[in-house]
Amino acid sequence: MITIALYITIAMVTLAMLLNVYRLIKGPDAPDRVLALDTLYINAIALIILLGITLGTRMYMESALLIAVMGFVGTVAMAKYLKRGSVIE
Amino acid sequence: MQAFAEYLIAGLLLIGGAFTLIGAIGLARLPDFFARLHAPTKATTLGVGAIMLGSVAYFTVSEGQVHVAEILITVFLFLTAPVSANILAKAAMHIGVARTPETHGNPWDQ
Amino acid sequence: MFARLGFPQPFLSLCLFLVWQLLNDGFSGGSVVMGAILAWMLPQLTRNFWPERPALLKGWLLPLYVLRVLWDIVVASISVARLVLSPRKPRPAFISYPLTLEHPLAITMLASTISLTPGTVSADVSDDQRILLIHALDAEDEQAIIETIRSRYEKPLQEIFL
């Protein structure tokens, strides 16, 4: 039963990522695109965790943690760039 | 594996996937940027949190040993989601992105 | 008592210890020893970077507040999900919320809480830290939202922080 639930969940998260890509392409403003990228990396973390469950390994935990940290830094850097025109003043 | 644990894990995974999907639908169909900001900060964060809890339950039950590293990621996401929402809202107000005409009130000028 | 034992910031030490346990995937002998060393050493090394002590007045109320916020996050997500899936258009609004909290950390916590709970995202703080600008996704009664935030989140935070 877990296997079926796992595949349904993976399909849902993949669909969610496709919708995020739609928003990423459509825009219409730069903050929308940054928001789409932000949601995209959070969904990528979910997908990696689901992959880890599917393969029955905990090897992917570190990469999920790294994506969480790096994604947040990236979002903040891009938002800062939009607001000020430079990342580090 | 016990039936109860299986139901719990499957339920957590499905709830998480559903909330993630709803967050993405909100991001795709809500009318303006500030409305779109709501869906990822709340629905997606909770959805990923539920998936993480499902993973914690799965590995704890299947390996008979406590695994909690996912909770760290969940806590990190819950801490950072409001910060990125706030900084994006500031950037959007600074740029002056379009708002739907139904919006009451105005953001003040910087 | 904690300061004399080499723990200038007991709360930070506790957080470091717990994070190390989480990073190590659960308790084990080695992780407890290493976590204790880190919890002792890092606050010592970074002591000069913390300009003032955090003004926690009643720190033991914090877990209660976190539990309440966690519950509200679940409720908030369900209400946002219903709004996203329902065909009617939301009525967004910008609300100016007059702050009574003064400590910057308390204001940060309130702003984060508002962002994670029903239908509101905190957008900006005025320069004198008196007014919080909130964007509400579906605001029927703006005054009701302000009252809810005040009684449900700001009052407990006021008790916890100095």
Side-chain angles (χ1 to χ4, degrees):
Chain A
M1 188 174 71
I2 288 179
T3 322
I4 301 169
L6 206 52
Y7 286 144
I8 295 173
T9 312
I10 289 177
M12 280 174 172
V13 175
T14 314
L15 193 60
M17 289 178 87
L18 283 176
L19 284 169
N20 294 339
V21 171
Y22 161 76
R23 178 53 68 194
L24 181 66
I25 293 169
K26 188 161 176 264
D29 289 305
D32 287 294
R33 299 203 161 95
V34 179
L35 184 62
L37 278 176
D38 186 68
T39 318
L40 207 53
Y41 91 76
I42 295 178
N43 288 1
I45 295 170
L47 209 53
I48 285 176
I49 299 288
L50 291 170
L51 183 68
I53 301 178
T54 319
L55 300 177
T57 168
R58 293 185 62 76
M59 278 290 124
Y60 295 105
M61 217 43 57
E62 271 76 20
S63 63
L65 196 60
L66 276 178
I67 290 180
V69 176
M70 291 298 153
F72 172 64
V73 173
T75 306
V76 169
M78 279 190 283
K80 194 115 177 125
Y81 176 73
L82 289 178
K83 189 161 184 284
R84 307 248 181 195
S86 65
V87 177
I88 300 169
E89 284 153 39
Chain B
M1 208 181 289
Q2 305 98 319
F4 170 71
E6 280 203 24
Y7 281 116
L8 180 74
I9 295 164
L12 277 172
L13 288 179
L14 287 176
I15 289 170
F19 271 113
T20 314
L21 188 55
I22 286 167
I25 292 172
L27 184 69
R29 76 168 275 261
L30 284 174
D32 70 343
F33 173 76
F34 291 102
R36 285 197 278 271
L37 200 54
H38 289 267
T41 41
K42 297 185 190 83
T44 305
T45 311
L46 184 73
V48 174
I51 290 177
M52 301 283 184
L53 279 184
S55 171
V56 167
Y58 176 80
F59 282 108
T60 301
V61 171
S62 72
E63 294 183 10
Q65 185 189 348
V66 181
H67 287 292
V68 285
E70 290 94 337
I71 294 181
L72 189 63
I73 306 174
T74 315
V75 169
F76 188 78
L77 285 180
F78 272 100
L79 286 181
T80 55
V83 178
S84 36
N86 184 283
I87 199 166
L88 275 173
K90 272 187 181 178
M93 283 194 295
H94 181 73
I95 294 176
V97 298
R99 300 190 298 277
T100 50
E102 290 103 63
T103 309
H104 302 284
N106 273 309
W108 59 62
D109 291 316
Q110 291 279 318
Chain C
M1 182 188 82
F2 285 111
R4 242 175 349 118
L5 290 173
F7 292 102
Q9 285 160 313
F11 190 66
L12 177 65
S13 296
L14 184 68
C15 285
L16 282 170
F17 183 75
L18 287 179
V19 165
W20 190 255
Q21 306 312 318
L22 288 175
L23 208 54
N24 270 293
D25 237 359
F27 283 99
S28 67
S31 78
V32 168
V33 171
M34 193 64 201
I37 291 174
L38 286 175
W40 173 72
M41 208 167 63
L42 285 180
Q44 296 275 342
L45 288 175
T46 58
R47 179 156 25 179
N48 293 335
F49 295 117
W50 300 83
E52 57 194 71
R53 294 175 56 79
L56 277 177
L57 194 63
K58 295 180 181 170
W60 64 88
L61 288 175
L62 210 55
L64 222 68
Y65 181 75
V66 171
L67 279 183
R68 164 183 285 186
V69 171
L70 275 180
W71 173 246
D72 282 358
I73 289 171
V74 177
V75 176
S77 304
I78 292 170
S79 70
V80 168
R82 273 172 56 192
L83 207 64
V84 165
L85 295 178
S86 76
R88 81 183 166 85
K89 282 210 156 155
R91 289 153 294 180
F94 280 99
I95 302 171
S96 292
Y97 178 77
L99 284 166
T100 53
L101 292 168
E102 279 166 10
H103 196 271
L105 183 62
I107 294 175
T108 312
M109 280 192 68
L110 181 69
S112 302
T113 310
I114 288 170
S115 288
L116 282 173
T117 47
T120 46
V121 167
S122 62
D124 206 356
V125 186
S126 67
D127 290 335
D128 56 356
Q129 300 190 333
R130 290 275 164 79
I131 304 169
L132 195 66
L133 184 65
I134 299 170
H135 182 266
L137 181 55
D138 193 43
E140 265 178 76
D141 184 3
E142 299 176 7
Q143 206 56 41
I145 290 179
I146 290 179
E147 287 304 317
T148 313
I149 292 172
R150 184 159 326 270
S151 61
R152 200 164 168 78
Y153 308 117
E154 195 168 12
K155 285 272 157 58
L157 278 177
Q158 217 150 25
E159 274 180 38
I160 293 170
F161 287 95
L162 211 54

